[in-house]
Structures are given as C-alpha cells and as structure tokens.
Amino acid sequence: MKAVVVEELGKALLKEVPLREMGPEDIKVKIDLCAVGGADPYAVTGEIPFRLPYYIGYQASGTIVEMGKDAISMGLKVGDKVTLDQHRYCGSCYNCRHGRETFCRTPGYGYVDSLMAEYGMVHQRQVFKVPEGVEMEEATLTEVIGAALQPLELAPFNQGDRVMVIGAGSCGLTILQLCKLRGALKLTVVEPLEFKRKLALELGAQYVLDPNTQDIVTEGMKITNDMGYDRVIEASGDSAMINPCIDLAARCGKILYFAIYPDHPDIIVPYDKLWFKELTIHGVFGQSHMFPRAVNMLPLLNLKPYRGPTFPLEDFMDAFDAHRTNKYVRVLVKC
Ligand SMILES: [Zn+2]
C-alpha cells in the first residue's frame, strides 16, 4: 500500500510500504481522509524529533475492511465508518495501568501515527464508530477534540470564570467551543489572522485581539477590569505569546501551555509574579482516555466551518503547501 513517509529529514515521500501484519485484536481500516496535522510539518523538518523512518498522519477517518479474530469487544464490524486514535498503547505497562497511556513506553507502542496512507492496521482500542450525522471530514477532528479536552481536564474551571485562548487554529477554535459550552466568561481569542478572528467570533468568542496591532496584555486587562484571566490557554505555537500569558493570568490563575514551539523556547517566570499571584503553570502534552469523550463531542461542536481544501494522496505535498499558506484552518488528504 502507499503511505507518506519521512526517511530523511526535510523530505516526505509517497512510498509503497507493507502494512503491518494483522494481530488477533487488530482491525484493518481503509483510510478515507487524513488531515495535515499541526505536528506534521515539524515531523518532516525534524523540529519535532521522531525516529526515522517516520510515517505521517494522525487525524484520520475510514471504513473497516477486515477484523482480527479476537477484535470483537468493541462491537465493531466490517463496513463501519470509523475515526482512529493514532496512539497505540500496550495497556499493561506502568503508565498504561495508571491511566496515562499517552506515556506508554513499551517498545513498538506510542504515537505511531502512519495514517496518511491507503490503509491502517490498528488495535481495536484505537477504533471508534463515527456518530450518526457526522461526516467523515469532521470525524478526522476527533484527535483535535481529544487534545482540546485535555487542558480543561488538567485545569477545569467554573462557570463564570474568565478564559483567554491564544491561537485560533483547529485546536484553539475547538478549545474555544469547549470553553463556551463550559460557561466561560469574557471569552477572548488572540489571533493574528483576520479570517480566523472572524471564525472565532462566529464560534462563540466574546472578544478577539490581534497581537500584531494590539497590546494583548493591556487589552486583556481592560476586558477583565484589571482582574486578568482565570485560565490562559496558549495554543498558538508562537513563542512570543509565552510571556504575556504570565501577565494575563489572574490571581490564582492557571496557564496552560498547549502548543508545539518549533524554536524550543525556555519559559522564564519572574518568581514574584508566580508567588504573589499563586499562579499554576501547566504543560499539556497528551490526551490519555480522551478519545471516547472526543467522539461523543463530535456532534455537539460546530466543525464544518473549519473545512479547507482536500487533495488526493498523490498530491500530499500540495496539501502540506496549502497548510503552510495559513489560508485554511484545515487541509485534508483523500487517501
Ligand atoms: Zn503501555
């Protein structure tokens, strides 16, 4: 089968590769659509280090074509439309048994991705039926929803708390929608691109700020009557946004650093600010156990406005180029 693979840094290829042999609890899926995920370009350049060869693709939907003989416990069957968790975990190592399967370290497991391909061979635990009424384009966003649930899981807030989300890509917009559903107040989105700011307003933001033309700390403090935000969620991946979070957070506020930063910045926090405000600073990496709830959330979120162009698998590089233009929230590859 054909799959997109990085064999040397800086270059991704569409290549004929063997599909992994089917285990008894595995399911073979014909991939329908796979998005260009935020991490994919960095995997090609090596800005996020992955072991090579690295098989691209972690946001995919498809159709079951074959079931392993023991892949029966999830109630799935051949022909089911499904969305796929790219994370294959062993279920028995120390971290898996402590509810942290994101950090599964058993060799051969982890973020194996490899879903920008004609087929996927995945464990039944990675396969979820697409809810009624959800289209395959939106089903590819399950991974995004799972990721967006994680900051709210790590630092849940109360109705009426003030929340700022920095960055309005697919993750930021999904975090925005989840915060809205949870009853966030003064819900503010920071985003340099005008079309994404408009989209954020459509999807529930009360305020939008342009960091290129506005001082986001000054404006954020005006919006919150000098109180600051109870939660500041940094989802832009722009390291210039890291320090303002510290000033934007309210007393006893929590800052969640969610994004990938290709320049691998340090975070330097003045101790007096941390101490006087009783700040909590949280990294957000994985999404252990989020996928089932992310699937449940698919019909509740307004995801169609994220849609951008779809490219055939042969033209996956055009999809990467389209992703880089920043003209679209989401670019898909038809596999
Ligand atoms: Zn494990």
Side-chain angles (χ1 to χ4, degrees):
M1 66 148 188
K2 290 191 180 74
V4 178
V5 57
V6 182
E7 291 180 320
E8 55 180 296
L9 289 183
K11 200 161 77 176
L13 297 168
L14 183 64
K15 211 181 155 183
E16 196 68 35
V17 296
L19 186 62
R20 198 167 54 78
E21 204 172 305
M22 178 177 261
E25 294 186 352
D26 283 346
I27 290 179
K28 183 179 175 183
V29 175
K30 172 71 189 86
I31 306 293
D32 182 9
L33 291 161
C34 182
V36 180
D40 287 336
Y42 302 134
V44 178
T45 58
E47 285 162 299
I48 304 174
F50 286 99
R51 191 176 298 164
L52 301 181
Y54 174 72
Y55 292 85
I56 294 271
Y58 64 97
Q59 297 173 355
S61 59
T63 305
I64 295 179
V65 290
E66 197 181 339
M67 309 269 298
K69 68 179 177 59
D70 297 328
I72 50 173
S73 61
M74 303 295 175
L76 297 161
K77 60 182 188 310
V78 170
D80 280 349
K81 301 284 184 199
V82 293
T83 175
L84 300 174
D85 182 352
Q86 90 280 23
H87 188 254
R88 185 179 176 92
Y89 60 98
C90 77
S92 54
C93 72
Y94 181 87
N95 280 332
C96 282
R97 283 183 293 123
H98 284 76
R100 305 189 290 251
E101 80 263 23
T102 284
F103 299 101
C104 179
R105 282 292 177 264
T106 300
Y109 292 85
Y111 284 99
V112 289
D113 296 2
S114 70
L115 299 175
M116 195 173 281
E118 290 177 302
Y119 293 93
M121 184 66 77
V122 288
H123 190 273
Q124 60 174 343
R125 278 194 295 253
Q126 298 171 262
V127 185
F128 297 82
K129 203 167 169 176
V130 176
E132 201 72 36
V134 175
E135 295 183 38
M136 296 304 266
E137 284 84 350
E138 282 64 61
T140 64
L141 282 156
T142 318
E143 190 274 344
V144 170
I145 300 169
L149 283 165
Q150 182 74 350
L152 279 62
E153 185 82 2
L154 292 171
F157 61 85
N158 295 316
Q159 287 175 319
D161 279 350
R162 299 163 300 249
V163 178
M164 172 179 271
V165 180
I166 304 177
S170 58
C171 287
L173 290 170
T174 305
I175 293 169
L176 159 70
Q177 292 195 60
L178 294 171
C179 289
K180 182 82 178 173
L181 284 171
R182 204 183 174 104
L185 194 72
K186 305 279 186 186
L187 192 46
T188 306
V189 170
V190 176
E191 167 58 49
L193 296 173
E194 190 186 4
F195 85 97
K196 289 185 179 176
R197 288 198 302 275
K198 280 186 181 161
L199 197 47
L201 287 168
E202 278 171 42
L203 296 175
Q206 285 174 274
Y207 305 89
V208 289
L209 298 174
D210 177 357
N212 289 340
T213 60
Q214 292 174 290
D215 180 328
I216 64 167
V217 174
T218 304
E219 296 303 319
M221 295 314 276
K222 269 190 220 163
I223 290 166
T224 58
N225 301 320
D226 277 331
M227 301 284 279
Y229 293 87
D230 301 293
R231 298 290 179 276
V232 181
I233 304 172
E234 204 316 271
S236 75
D238 176 359
S239 53
M241 295 293 107
I242 287 175
N243 280 339
C245 294
I246 295 158
D247 291 317
L248 283 158
R251 284 176 186 266
C252 304
K254 297 187 179 184
I255 301 167
L256 293 118
Y257 289 109
F258 173 94
I260 297 166
Y261 302 95
D263 53 346
H264 306 285
D266 292 324
I267 299 179
I268 297 169
V269 183
Y271 177 74
D272 284 353
K273 290 185 183 177
L274 185 80
W275 188 71
F276 276 124
K277 285 192 183 182
E278 292 193 355
L279 290 181
T280 302
I281 296 177
H282 223 307
V284 186
F285 168 66
Q287 47 170 297
S288 298
H289 295 304
M290 289 298 150
F291 227 83
R293 280 200 276 143
V295 173
N296 293 344
M297 294 306 290
L298 275 167
L300 298 180
L301 300 173
N302 186 4
L303 303 170
K304 280 192 180 167
Y306 297 12
R307 279 194 195 185
T310 301
F311 294 84
L313 184 57
E314 291 70 28
D315 299 334
F316 78 93
M317 276 311 297
D318 292 341
F320 274 61
D321 290 342
H323 175 82
R324 269 191 287 266
T325 62
N326 275 331
K327 287 185 188 164
Y328 313 104
V329 174
R330 199 132 171 96
V331 176
L332 291 170
V333 172
K334 179 83 178 165
C335 297

